[in-house]
Amino acid sequence: MLKKRDVQDAPVLFELMSHPEVFPYVRHKAYSSDEFYFLTKQTIEAEENGELISRTIMDEYYNPIGTINLFDIENNGGFLATWIGQPYFGKGYNKLAKDAFFNEMFCHHPIDTIFIKIRRTNTRSLKAILKIPYVMHGNEVYDGVFAKINCDQEEPVYDLYVIKKETYFSHLESAKENEEAI
């Protein structure tokens, strides 16, 4: 389940984000609860200005367990950034959050392309992205974006993955047809 970001969730999310298996992979790092609270307020304001879209990921008991965001929105596209607290790893929340978020982005916002950059050393995220059937590898197809995300590096540090609106809906339609055939 997803909900709009709320500063009331900041203390719980800060504790989850601070875990050593999560913190290195968070895009906007905070080193104190106060700093995380401030970043949350900035995120809410940036969304109101149309700069990004950010949601809190909730478990089945409505506890905040992570965030999912679309940053750097331009030309009807943006970059996905997701993190989930370590106690919730491997329980299916990542897939549920992404399904809900992609549906919101493609149905309720003028988003056509979602880019995902993944550090080549982040094996957890690399394994997760390969489980999504409508994701395509984007290093060659979007070579300009690939060069941009690796511009400060001697060798590429990130791989680029892409979700296109039409591919997403095509997958949903195919899955629906397969269910109806059963």
Side-chain angles (χ1 to χ4, degrees):
M1 292 172 271
L2 303 178
K3 74 171 195 170
K4 285 195 172 202
R5 296 292 298 276
D6 184 337
V7 293
Q8 293 180 349
D9 297 328
V12 172
L13 289 173
F14 173 72
E15 288 302 316
L16 291 169
M17 182 204 68
S18 299
H19 191 278
E21 289 182 53
V22 176
F23 191 78
Y25 304 106
V26 174
R27 179 175 172 150
H28 290 132
K29 294 172 176 30
Y31 296 90
S32 71
S33 185
D34 287 344
E35 186 179 358
F36 190 81
Y37 178 84
F38 180 73
L39 283 173
T40 301
K41 282 182 70 170
Q42 281 186 320
T43 298
I44 292 168
E45 290 170 10
E47 181 162 358
E48 289 170 358
N49 294 331
E51 300 166 21
L52 58 82
I53 301 167
S54 183
R55 300 290 178 263
T56 299
I57 303 168
M58 311 291 284
D59 69 6
E60 60 273 20
Y61 305 107
Y62 302 99
N63 297 310
I65 64 170
T67 70
I68 187 165
N69 312 277
L70 196 66
F71 290 109
D72 304 329
I73 297 174
E74 61 180 55
N75 299 323
N76 296 343
F79 281 86
L80 183 73
T82 307
W83 66 265
I84 290 181
Q86 187 275 338
Y88 304 95
F89 287 1
K91 297 183 178 178
Y93 293 111
N94 189 23
K95 181 185 180 331
L96 292 171
K98 283 186 169 91
D99 288 347
F101 194 72
F102 297 156
N103 189 57
E104 179 183 344
M105 294 306 99
F106 294 137
C107 291
H108 303 291
H109 297 278
I111 301 297
D112 297 322
T113 308
I114 296 175
F115 295 105
I116 305 160
K117 74 176 190 179
I118 299 178
R119 187 178 299 273
R120 289 180 171 179
T121 58
N122 187 346
T123 54
R124 177 178 297 282
S125 291
L126 289 169
K127 285 180 183 178
I129 200 69
L130 296 175
K131 292 179 183 176
I132 302 174
Y134 44 85
V135 169
M136 68 179 207
H137 198 254
N139 291 358
E140 291 81 27
V141 177
Y142 292 90
D143 58 340
V145 177
F146 177 70
K148 186 176 179 181
I149 65 173
N150 286 293
C151 69
D152 297 335
Q153 318 301 324
E154 245 177 69
E155 292 289 321
V157 173
Y158 298 100
D159 279 321
L160 181 67
Y161 297 87
V162 181
I163 300 171
K164 299 292 290 177
K165 183 178 189 172
E166 56 271 8
T167 307
Y168 174 76
F169 283 120
S170 176
H171 170 76
L172 290 182
E173 187 61 34
S174 177
K176 183 178 174 185
E177 288 172 4
N178 288 341
E179 282 181 18
E180 290 173 356
I182 294 177

